[in-house]
Amino acid sequence: MLSSFILLMVIGVPISVATGIASFIAALMIIPFDVAIFTAAQKLVNGMDSFALLAVIFFILSGIIMNNGGIALRLVNLAKLLGGRLPGSLAHTNVVGNMLFGSISGSAVASAAAIGGVMSPLQEKEGYNKSYSAAVNIASAPAGLLIPPSGALIIFSMVSGGTSIAALFLAGYLPGILMGLSVMIIAYIIAKKEKYPVAKKVTLSEGLKVVIDAIPSLMLIVIVIGGIVAGVFTATEGSAIAVLYSVILSICYRSLKWSDVPKILIETVVMTGIVLFLVGASSIMSWVMAFSGIPAAISQAVLSVSESPIVILLIMNVVLLLVGMVMDITPAILIFTPIFMPIVTQIGMDPVHFGIVLVFNLCIGIMSPPSGSALFVGCSVGGVSIENVTKPLLIFLAGLIFTLLLVTYIPAITLFVPKLFGVM
């Protein structure tokens, strides 16, 4: 399975197709052809036949509507207000903007493009080094994937056997904020050294206007997460409410036209098709691995290296960081969750904690060389090459890995908020 998967990836086969074919080839090694093809087809369909997946689809739709609805500029103005008095204020604005917009859009790539597209010209005009500006944008773009509502956490909930979505959503807040803060601390140190400018002081009336303009956009998070945690509606119902709210808000801002609707729906269908086919193909792989005992074998192999949870968690982090560098976040969650869940269970790690650590690792992966999606978009928007941005980006990577270790080895960072709200 592994060798055929790698071979198919090397020759350029799309990852979802490579996953399905590699899984089917592996199935032929253990069961007859007619049984293998029937079971593979069944698992492909059953993998996509999930009510929980509707939440992913609706959140994708709401994110695309907000991307086209003039939300980014209002959030950038709020981010300017929050980080404006620090050295290198535009860099801090970029980070806060990515955290806010990423949590609403649910996409690191959308954040890197939307917020980076607004901030890069402003930073260049103020004399910021282009490589530094691009590195800040790339490093902070994935932070929103941890801050709910998060499609990645919904997919983890489904694959892990029903881990509470409400608990995962609440658990993502502190790690997501710490992820953004670690980038801001490093950006502050570099900005202080390079003597980058501080934004002008904002008057009280100007500040209030910015906050009031941004409140309707931020209320999406409050309504959706508040409703899910309070038990008013499920995550799937909350995602549909997010779509309705996004439409109403875009109409109020007069930024959504009838002519935009076909483009928005087509973009949603394309993204949904990619995600659902990945889920279906990964379901075949999960079944083959379970049937042949691969997760149990890997679990025994890892546990034979050491019985110390500290060492085992370090091994898991290293593997996930390497995986994240070459694989997108959705297929990585679908493939590696069933592999590592037996190990997590064995060492007594809470599934909610593991879900956040898993997504945190993969968030770092999508901004890392050689093939991180946020890396490519951030370089394109910032007008710099990957070679030029790599050196400053490595400094931010070091800070993010340190934060990852804190989240990994101090469970309270992840579990404090869910326990505070009584959802676990």
Side-chain angles (χ1 to χ4, degrees), residues 29 49 72 85 94 106 128 156 163 180 206 226 230 234 236 244 260 278 280 286 325 366 372 383 408 418:
M29 302 294 105
D49 184 19
R85 298 303 297 164
N94 201 152
Y128 286 65
F156 171 80
T163 305
E206 290 173 334
T234 65
T236 305
L244 179 63
D260 296 329
L278 272 170
S286 297
M325 291 179 183
I366 62 175
T408 301

Side-chain angles (χ1 to χ4, degrees), residues 88-105:
S89 56
L90 291 179
H92 301 299
T93 299
N94 201 152
V95 177
V96 177
N98 274 333
M99 292 168 68
L100 293 171
F101 190 75
S103 65
I104 290 172
S105 69

Side-chain angles (χ1 to χ4, degrees), residues 101-127:
F101 190 75
S103 65
I104 290 172
S105 69
S107 170
V109 171
S111 294
I115 303 300
V118 174
M119 297 307 304
S120 291
L122 296 176
Q123 292 180 73
E124 187 176 357
K125 188 177 178 182
E126 291 285 339

